[in-house]
């Protein structure tokens, strides 16, 4: 699934920040997740389209495309879903999707593995550092 922010309350940031949710993320959190206010879920018809769609939406966000299809008040911006449906999207041929998906999936799994290790190492550091500074734990060389 791709979770998308559809409303935001600022003048200098567009809506449609995205997050890719896969089984690795769900398993790491070990809690049920639900999409709430200001968010929607995009679930591609085929899972093989997921990474392409996620990355394509991120490119559009980074290029400020979504600023042009927002409506709402000065402070709360909403994505205009009708305008979104009129966006022209360049889609590669069907054969390219599987190769692209396989390549990108390996990268994202590595990123998620690294993030999990970073969290574990940070927790260890946060536990040990006060003990080292107080002298409760000593390191022999």
């Amino acid at each position: 699934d791709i979770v998308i922010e559809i409303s935001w309350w600022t003048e200098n940031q567009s809506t449609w920040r995205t997050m890719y949710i896969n089984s690795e993320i769900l398993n790491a959190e070990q809690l049920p997740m639900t999409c709430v206010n200001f968010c929607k879920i995009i679930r591609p018809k085929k899972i093989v389209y997921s990474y392409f769609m996620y990355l394509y939406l991120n490119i559009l966000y980074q290029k400020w495309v979504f600023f042009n299809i927002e409506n709402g008040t000065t402070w709360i911006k909403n994505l205009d879903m009708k305008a979104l449906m009129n966006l022209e999207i360049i889609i590669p041929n069907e054969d390219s999707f599987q190769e692209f998906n396989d390549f990108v999936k390996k990268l994202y799994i590595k990123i998620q593995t690294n993030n999990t290790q970073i969290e574990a190492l940070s927790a260890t550091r946060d536990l040990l550092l006060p003990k080292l500074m107080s002298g409760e734990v000593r390191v022999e060389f």
Side-chain angles (χ1 to χ4, degrees):
D1 290 341
I2 302 166
V3 176
I4 298 154
E5 165 195 70
I6 60 167
S7 292
W8 190 246
W9 51 86
T10 183
E11 289 186 39
N12 59 2
Q13 182 175 348
S14 171
T15 56
W16 270 70
R17 287 182 292 181
T18 58
M19 181 171 184
Y20 185 81
I21 305 291
N22 58 14
S23 57
E24 286 82 9
I25 290 174
L26 294 174
N27 292 337
E29 293 302 320
Q30 299 177 349
L31 295 170
M33 291 187 183
T34 187
C35 201
V36 295
N37 298 347
F38 303 116
C39 294
K40 289 214 184 279
I41 292 177
I42 291 181
R43 185 167 289 147
K45 288 182 181 180
K46 294 182 181 180
I47 197 164
V48 73
Y49 301 153
S50 297
Y51 286 113
F52 175 81
M53 287 179 66
Y54 170 70
L55 293 170
Y56 193 77
L57 291 169
N58 271 317
I59 288 170
L60 294 177
Y61 176 81
Q62 290 170 8
K63 292 186 177 256
W64 299 73
V65 170
F66 296 122
F67 264 122
N68 298 323
I69 56 172
E70 291 178 337
N71 58 32
T73 65
T74 304
W75 294 106
I76 297 180
K77 302 293 184 186
N78 298 297
L79 185 68
D80 183 348
M81 297 302 279
K82 289 180 184 178
L84 177 67
M85 296 304 166
N86 291 326
L87 274 181
E88 190 173 316
I89 299 175
I90 301 165
I91 299 175
N93 67 35
E94 190 75 26
D95 297 334
S96 301
F97 274 108
Q98 189 63 52
E99 185 178 342
F100 177 82
N101 190 68
D102 293 344
F103 177 75
V104 173
K105 184 176 183 177
K106 289 177 191 173
L107 296 176
Y108 271 83
I109 288 172
K110 182 64 175 167
I111 289 168
Q112 289 170 333
T113 301
N114 288 349
N115 285 338
T116 301
Q117 290 175 346
I118 288 168
E119 287 178 19
L121 291 169
S122 294
T124 303
R125 176 205 59 213
D126 293 346
L127 180 70
L128 287 175
L129 192 57
K131 292 180 180 192
L132 288 166
M133 292 180 71
S134 69
E136 183 180 338
V137 173
R138 294 198 170 275
V139 177
E140 299 292 328
F141 292 98

